[in-house]
Amino acid sequence: MNIALHHFRLVDTISKEGSLTKAAASLHLTQSALSHQLKELEKELGIEVFHRQGKKLQLTEVGFRFLRSSEKILAEIRILEEDINNYKNGKTGKLNISMQCYTAYHWLPGVIKDFKSQWPDININIVSDASRRPLEYLMRGDLDLGIVRTQMVNTQIVYERIFEDRLICILPADHPLVKKPVIDICDFQDQELILALYDPSYQETPIIETLIQEQQVKPKTLSRIHYTDATIEMVNAGLGISVMADWIVKPYLPGKHIVTKPLHHSIAKRTWYAATCRDTPVIQNFLSCLKNHFCKTEMLCNEFDNAENYQELRAV
């Protein structure tokens, strides 16, 4: 049988309205067009759907059976239309995200919580396996959004600045370099240096490793540790010095025997970007939450820096 969706709507509307005239008005059809569609359906079925009683129409036994199916199908269509509209408007769906840094995940839950408070029906999936190669996952379609430092030259990828951080040096409180106001790359000569583990087959060599090589600086030892906690504890125990972003170190400072020192301004700042290959309402909504989160964070950091500067001026 060749039954179309408009046939189900036709029977449902005629049953509710009780006459061709009212049904035609409800469906925005002429009465002639509606009669033609009804005859077309009955011809396809090979049986009457309605008994004609003057201007009134009464469902036949087959008509009642057809109506029950119509009600189920039309209800499902309405749900489908609502789901599609919600998806198009960014109210439902899923979002696969990742970061080019494992330690960045400690602030991500705050962003997700804010996002979920506004769009609770979006399923967010954190693809932790993509942390080392987020842009490759993005290009394959396994990620919707990656928060990255590295930029791959590709016209399909759109990068949007999210925030900046600063690299700082972390030292045991009794280390000789604590006396220096600013740490330079040359200061790593003959030091026990602890740096984050990275994948050398990837496109980017971390900036500290690059500068050490360029300036031919030779640390006494160079250890690579995957976990931030382990690195902090190594420094705290006096087993070496390290370099990390300021926002990564800050939560670990209380109660530790460590000191932070700024790196030279020419190498300290890094810019983080949100990388995407598609433009959807869900992605744009999450981007808005990211920007709002870091806008507040930067304001707090500025207030903190100003307060520190004020205290230093007072001390002077």
Side-chain angles (χ1 to χ4, degrees):
M1 291 185 294
N2 185 21
I3 302 172
L5 182 60
H6 68 269
H7 291 135
F8 291 110
R9 287 199 174 103
L10 176 75
V11 172
D12 183 69
T13 305
I14 293 174
S15 174
K16 288 176 180 176
E17 299 295 344
S19 71
L20 290 178
T21 303
K22 291 181 180 179
S26 178
L27 292 170
H28 306 289
L29 296 172
T30 63
Q31 188 169 334
S32 174
L34 187 141
S35 296
H36 174 75
Q37 288 184 12
L38 180 56
K39 288 178 182 178
E40 178 185 71
L41 173 62
E42 291 180 328
K43 181 179 178 181
E44 185 65 33
L45 295 175
I47 195 169
E48 286 188 337
V49 177
F50 289 96
H51 291 305
R52 279 74 171 174
Q53 295 180 350
K55 292 184 178 182
K56 291 186 178 182
L57 299 175
Q58 295 290 332
L59 285 165
T60 63
E61 185 176 348
V62 170
F64 274 114
R65 176 65 185 84
F66 196 92
L67 177 63
R68 288 198 299 273
S69 293
S70 297
E71 290 170 342
K72 293 177 183 178
I73 291 168
L74 293 176
E76 187 62 32
I77 290 293
R78 283 191 292 271
I79 294 171
L80 175 61
E81 289 174 342
E82 184 178 354
D83 288 346
I84 291 173
N85 285 332
N86 286 337
Y87 182 83
K88 286 164 62 178
N89 295 328
K91 295 180 179 179
T92 59
K94 67 177 182 178
L95 187 69
N96 293 327
I97 61 176
S98 189
M99 301 263 324
Q100 193 182 355
C101 178
Y102 284 103
T103 49
Y105 288 116
H106 81 269
W107 54 256
L108 193 56
V111 178
I112 294 174
K113 183 178 180 180
D114 180 41
F115 179 84
K116 294 286 281 185
S117 70
Q118 300 176 68
W119 296 280
D121 295 325
I122 300 295
N123 180 30
I124 295 182
N125 179 35
I126 299 174
V127 188
S128 57
D129 290 345
S131 291
R132 292 189 181 182
R133 296 173 177 267
L135 295 177
E136 292 180 15
Y137 277 69
L138 190 69
M139 291 296 297
R140 292 205 306 262
D142 296 328
L143 273 188
D144 297 306
L145 184 146
I147 301 172
V148 301
R149 297 187 310 271
T150 307
Q151 290 193 57
M152 179 190 295
V153 179
N154 190 301
T155 55
Q156 296 181 45
I157 303 177
V158 176
Y159 298 96
E160 192 158 350
R161 180 192 175 279
I162 299 299
F163 69 97
E164 285 186 345
D165 63 10
R166 291 175 296 178
L167 292 173
I168 56 177
C169 187
I170 314 159
L171 310 103
D174 55 359
H175 196 280
L177 287 176
V178 169
K179 298 176 182 178
K180 291 199 66 176
V182 177
I183 305 298
D184 292 304
I185 294 298
C186 62
D187 292 321
F188 296 142
Q189 180 73 30
D190 297 325
Q191 295 295 330
E192 293 175 318
L193 188 59
I194 305 168
L195 297 177
L197 188 68
Y198 80 100
D199 185 352
S201 67
Y202 198 49
Q203 298 96 325
E204 179 196 46
T205 300
I207 187 169
I208 299 301
E209 279 89 337
T210 300
L211 293 171
I212 286 174
Q213 293 168 13
E214 289 177 354
Q215 298 182 28
Q216 298 183 346
V217 172
K218 295 182 179 180
K220 182 178 179 180
T221 60
L222 176 54
S223 305
R224 301 188 190 278
I225 298 181
H226 183 66
Y227 297 105
T228 302
D229 300 58
T231 300
I232 294 291
E233 291 304 327
M234 291 281 283
V235 175
N236 189 58
L239 298 176
I241 64 176
S242 186
V243 174
M244 290 185 185
D246 50 3
W247 54 270
I248 294 175
V249 177
K250 189 176 180 181
Y252 293 94
L253 291 177
K256 298 294 183 183
H257 189 64
I258 58 178
V259 173
T260 62
K261 287 289 177 176
L263 292 177
H264 192 272
H265 65 84
S266 61
I267 60 174
K269 280 193 174 183
R270 301 184 303 177
T271 302
W272 290 78
Y273 302 90
T276 58
C277 285
R278 297 184 300 121
D279 184 12
T280 67
V282 173
I283 291 173
Q284 289 303 317
N285 290 339
F286 192 80
L287 272 173
S288 295
C289 284
L290 271 175
K291 291 176 184 177
N292 185 54
H293 174 84
F294 284 106
C295 180
K296 291 177 181 177
T297 301
E298 286 181 359
M299 287 173 64
L300 288 173
C301 286
N302 289 336
E303 289 176 5
F304 179 76
D305 290 343
N306 290 337
E308 277 196 329
N309 293 336
Y310 177 68
Q311 292 295 333
E312 289 177 2
L313 287 170
R314 286 189 65 188
V316 172

